[in-house]
Amino acid sequence: MLYPKDTQTREVKDLSGIWRFKVDRHNTGRADMWHMQPLQDTIPMPVPASYNDMTQDASIRDHIGDVWYETFFRIPRSWSGDRIMLRVGSACHHAVVWVNGRQAAEHKGGFLPFEADISEAVEYGMENRVTIVVNNVLTWQTLPPGRIKTFDDAKHPEGYRIQEYFHDFYNYAGLHRPVKVYRTPAAHIRDVTVTTDVQDGTGLVTYRTEASEAGAAVRVRLVDEEGRMVASGTGAQGTLRVENARLWKPLQAYLYTLHVELVGDDGETADHYMLDIGIRTVRVEGSRFLINGEPFYFKGFGKHEDSDIKGKGLDYAVNVKDFNLLKWIGANSFRTSHYPYAEEILDLADREGIVVIGEVPAVGFTFFNYNDKVYTPDQANDETLAHHLDVLNDMIARDKNHPSIVMWSVANEAATFQEEAVPYFRKVAETARVLDATRPLTLVQWALPDKCQVAQFFDVVCVNRYYSWYADPGCLDLVEHQVEWELSGWHRNFNKPVIMSEYGADAIAGFHQDPPVMFTEEYQCEMLQRYHNVFDRLDYVIGEHVWAFADFATKQGTTRINGNKKGVFTRQRQPKAAAHMLRRRWEQMAVTPKWSGR
Ligand code: BDP
């Protein structure tokens, strides 16, 4: 799905701003057709943003069900005759959209965009009303999954409900990414797919375009960062050759711009789209992850889209700060734990040369007990799998052209030790490979190496493990023994490169004790250091992603003290002691890479 852009033939209106908002206290608004007229008794609500932390009203924060958004926009008369699209960047988790009371779109899944052709629904030159109902309920047929708990006892008032979910990050909801209206010509470019290869210094840029009309004439040109055209071609698909190509490299990004034009019968440009691309290769070979043929060691974090007040709302300032912190600390990568991030973040990663592992929102597919079944007819069932495949498809369709993304993660900590996981993840892996044959695949493991039944379907083993925290709390002296025992098990059983994709300890900024105890900054440092001692000894360990980049909001519970404090930075992006420790380590690794002998 193409990101909306202003080009020679296209124009975008961003509807970000203050919308009208109303909580549907009894979830009756759909039946009462609230979309048929302007909403009554609304409060102001920013878009994009999560609504949860925006007011002082806990009943808004904790509401289970529908909330309503509404705004007004004008389409100039000059847009008449064009194709007018409405695009929602992300609505967590289900949404129905009406324009002037007429249904335009319905979508399930909170972390990916959807759009609708509203050419017939809008009035040109006049004011148009868009109404969006957003629902935050998680079930076993959504990603991530959840369930509504009801009570049948005298301690709870009748009808009392709780939204349960099996991941820790807070279930923020609302319109998290911009809503845009844009126009394209009626005959338009529908999609562009680019893959790249390098042969003896020559970059090969293979492109495939899809147009609204089959057989439409297409011309393309590739322009470098200085604005020079380095290759051109014609035809709906083809391969451009770039002599002495500047490669997209980790922390040394170089982007070319591919201009795609649909050519009308008169030879004029009927539609024009521009895509930034990077020329690079990615391959797993033996126990190495190769980017442009060079072994790459992942240094970085699992992150979240999460910040004060806005929750999961897109925030350019926070995003730029985060990339500056990544560079400051010497990181070269992150995982989009545990859902596809905003396209605007991936654009920054492309530009800054930060390597990304893109993840689908399949998190919470385990009960942390080997015997509690996850894949049952009323939990992770065929409908869940079908949705999982849809989301995978939509994520790859949206993100396939980002050079920063080098691998897909199809799930986080799924119960891969249950035999029902085998057909489930075989299907997921097969589908991912059909959708994208160019990028390696992983599934982030919680199972132990002797129990996992699906790692053979994937190219890289990613493992999350919290030795001396959830297991043997306080026993720092066990960490090295246990990490080495586990990682060597993965290597022995599957013979694939291994990334420690999560390891870490909660540290409350300002808590100190030496010798270290849990929740202090000293403990966080000491634990990370002991993991690192093992990583440095094991040749097949190809990366370390600390959990987590920054502290983040979680659901309430006895193991969380106003959020998850495993951040190396606070939620306000201030460094804890561990950040300085990591910075020293990662800067040193830049000087002396792990496999410097190669
Ligand atoms: C892992 C999850 C991550 C959690 C982390 C934790 O992948 O989302 O936040 O544990 O408990 O299991 O801190």
Side-chain angles (χ1 to χ4, degrees):
M1 183 194 263
L2 297 178
Y3 187 77
K5 280 183 190 161
D6 287 327
T7 72
Q8 283 173 36
T9 56
R10 296 171 171 233
E11 203 171 340
V12 185
K13 265 176 180 283
D14 189 340
L15 304 189
S16 297
I18 305 293
W19 288 43
R20 290 151 52 92
F21 177 87
K22 184 179 170 106
V23 174
D24 193 343
R25 300 264 174 209
H26 306 290
N27 294 309
T28 52
R30 297 186 201 218
D32 293 342
M33 307 226 284
W34 284 4
H35 51 274
M36 291 311 286
Q37 47 262 311
L39 297 174
Q40 305 297 310
D41 304 320
T42 60
I43 59 171
M45 191 57 70
V47 173
S50 302
Y51 61 79
N52 309 76
D53 292 344
M54 215 51 71
T55 73
Q56 295 307 97
D57 185 344
S59 71
I60 293 181
R61 182 190 67 197
D62 300 337
H63 175 67
I64 301 172
D66 287 345
V67 298
W68 293 72
Y69 285 83
E70 177 186 84
T71 197
F72 299 86
F73 62 96
R74 276 177 196 273
I75 299 278
R77 277 202 293 267
S78 59
W79 285 25
S80 162
D82 279 341
R83 169 176 165 264
I84 316 294
M85 301 295 292
L86 179 90
R87 189 196 210 246
V88 179
S90 148
C92 260
H93 297 282
H94 329 248
V96 183
V97 181
W98 294 267
V99 173
N100 298 328
R102 187 159 150 178
Q103 184 168 329
E106 178 164 8
H107 185 258
K108 170 173 156 185
F111 305 96
L112 288 167
F114 58 96
E115 58 182 16
D117 187 332
I118 56 166
S119 317
E120 302 292 319
V122 288
E123 296 204 42
Y124 294 88
M126 312 292 283
E127 194 167 69
N128 294 282
R129 186 176 83 252
V130 55
T131 318
I132 307 183
V133 62
V134 183
N135 181 285
N136 65 354
V137 171
L138 297 174
T139 71
W140 267 106
Q141 281 61 54
T142 61
L143 292 189
R147 67 180 162 219
I148 299 286
K149 185 172 176 185
T150 53
F151 298 85
D152 188 15
D153 61 32
K155 283 195 290 184
H156 297 86
E158 207 187 316
Y160 197 80
R161 308 188 302 158
I162 288 175
Q163 169 74 69
E164 288 189 327
Y165 42 94
F166 323 109
H167 54 276
D168 70 340
F169 60 91
Y170 184 71
N171 187 31
Y172 278 116
L175 296 174
H176 285 160
R177 299 176 191 158
V179 179
K180 294 178 178 175
V181 176
Y182 68 98
R183 67 155 169 171
T184 75
H188 61 277
I189 300 156
R190 264 212 196 117
D191 197 15
V192 183
T193 308
V194 170
T195 57
T196 62
D197 203 352
V198 183
Q199 276 171 11
D200 301 326
T202 301
L204 303 179
V205 176
T206 300
Y207 71 91
R208 200 179 65 237
T209 60
E210 276 171 43
S212 54
E213 266 112 275
V218 174
R219 68 179 165 234
V220 297
R221 80 201 132 84
L222 192 66
V223 173
D224 70 11
E225 285 186 2
E226 285 71 44
R228 288 185 297 250
M229 188 172 86
V230 294
S232 63
T234 54
Q237 50 191 36
T239 299
L240 304 177
R241 296 176 62 85
V242 185
E243 305 301 332
N244 303 315
R246 292 274 302 266
L247 301 189
W248 187 95
K249 294 182 181 166
L251 300 176
Q252 290 172 52
Y254 191 90
L255 297 175
Y256 292 89
T257 306
L258 181 70
H259 291 262
V260 180
E261 287 172 64
L262 213 58
V263 188
D265 294 337
D266 52 4
E268 295 292 311
T269 303
D271 190 18
H272 170 226
Y273 193 77
M274 290 160 356
L275 189 69
D276 285 343
I277 63 146
I279 301 177
R280 55 116 182 89
T281 64
V282 171
R283 208 168 65 242
V284 172
E285 204 178 87
S287 54
R288 297 286 183 266
F289 194 101
L290 305 178
I291 301 184
N292 303 324
E294 301 276 319
F296 180 71
Y297 190 84
F298 293 79
K299 299 180 290 181
F301 302 93
K303 279 183 103 273
H304 268 298
E305 288 179 300
D306 175 271
S307 63
D308 284 336
I309 302 176
K310 277 192 151 181
K312 291 202 171 309
L314 175 75
D315 187 323
Y316 292 109
V318 169
N319 293 339
V320 168
K321 179 73 176 175
D322 283 5
F323 276 82
N324 285 332
L325 289 174
L326 287 169
K327 288 193 290 180
W328 173 84
I329 204 170
N332 58 16
S333 54
F334 65 84
R335 174 169 58 116
T336 70
S337 41
H338 296 298
Y339 36 82
Y341 290 1
E343 291 149 288
E344 293 79 0
I345 296 179
L346 300 177
D347 287 344
L348 270 174
D350 290 346
R351 171 58 57 207
E352 299 287 347
I354 297 288
V355 169
V356 176
I357 301 172
E359 185 160 275
V360 291
V363 50
F365 270 62
T366 191
F367 293 125
F368 298 109
N369 178 337
Y370 275 48
N371 297 321
D372 287 348
K373 290 281 184 200
V374 168
Y375 312 90
T376 64
D378 57 348
Q379 295 184 140
N381 58 19
D382 290 347
E383 199 184 328
T384 316
L385 174 58
H387 182 52
H388 200 144
L389 299 179
D390 279 350
V391 173
L392 190 65
N393 180 65
D394 292 354
M395 175 181 77
I396 294 177
R398 190 194 71 162
D399 295 343
K400 60 191 170 186
N401 295 321
H402 286 283
S404 55
I405 299 192
V406 299
M407 179 156 67
W408 304 117
S409 160
V410 303
N412 180 71
E413 297 190 347
T416 57
F417 41 84
Q418 293 173 357
E419 61 186 356
E420 298 80 4
V422 176
Y424 190 104
F425 284 107
R426 182 190 290 124
K427 182 75 189 160
V428 170
E430 279 170 8
T431 305
R433 294 207 192 273
V434 171
L435 293 167
D436 183 357
T438 70
R439 287 179 177 88
L441 283 186
T442 193
L443 180 153
V444 176
Q445 298 287 349
W446 179 75
L448 284 167
D450 288 344
K451 303 277 191 218
C452 174
Q453 305 198 26
V454 309
Q456 67 276 13
F457 303 142
F458 300 93
D459 304 298
V460 172
V461 173
C462 281
V463 196
N464 296 352
R465 196 67 67 203
Y466 292 89
Y467 289 121
S468 84
W469 193 260
Y470 295 120
D472 299 306
C475 300
L476 284 171
D477 53 339
L478 282 177
V479 170
E480 291 197 34
H481 174 80
Q482 295 185 336
V483 175
E484 185 149 1
W485 164 78
E486 164 149 18
L487 296 184
S488 56
W490 284 107
H491 184 61
R492 192 175 51 245
N493 292 359
F494 297 101
N495 197 21
K496 297 180 193 263
V498 178
I499 298 175
M500 185 59 82
S501 41
E502 283 186 28
Y503 62 112
D506 288 74
I508 298 174
F511 272 31
H512 293 286
Q513 190 158 314
D514 192 61
V517 297
M518 293 173 78
F519 293 99
T520 63
E521 296 195 33
E522 285 78 4
Y523 194 95
Q524 187 182 37
C525 286
E526 185 69 30
M527 183 216 254
L528 298 179
Q529 182 58 56
R530 287 173 189 251
Y531 271 77
H532 297 157
N533 293 344
V534 181
F535 302 160
D536 292 345
R537 291 201 286 271
L538 303 180
D539 179 77
Y540 50 82
V541 172
I542 60 155
E544 51 195 62
H545 275 179
V546 178
W547 190 257
F549 174 76
D551 294 346
F552 57 92
T554 62
K555 63 186 170 190
Q556 300 187 56
T558 48
T559 60
R560 298 291 183 256
I561 305 149
N562 190 11
N564 189 314
K565 299 287 191 255
K566 293 192 186 68
V568 159
F569 298 99
T570 64
R571 201 181 191 207
Q572 295 72 37
R573 274 52 179 182
Q574 295 307 318
K576 302 181 191 171
H580 297 285
M581 188 272 277
L582 284 166
R583 183 168 190 239
R584 284 191 294 275
R585 170 175 170 78
W586 288 344
E587 281 185 344
Q588 184 53 43
M589 288 177 92
V591 179
T592 326
K594 176 157 182 174
W595 306 285
S596 39
R598 268 181 68 119

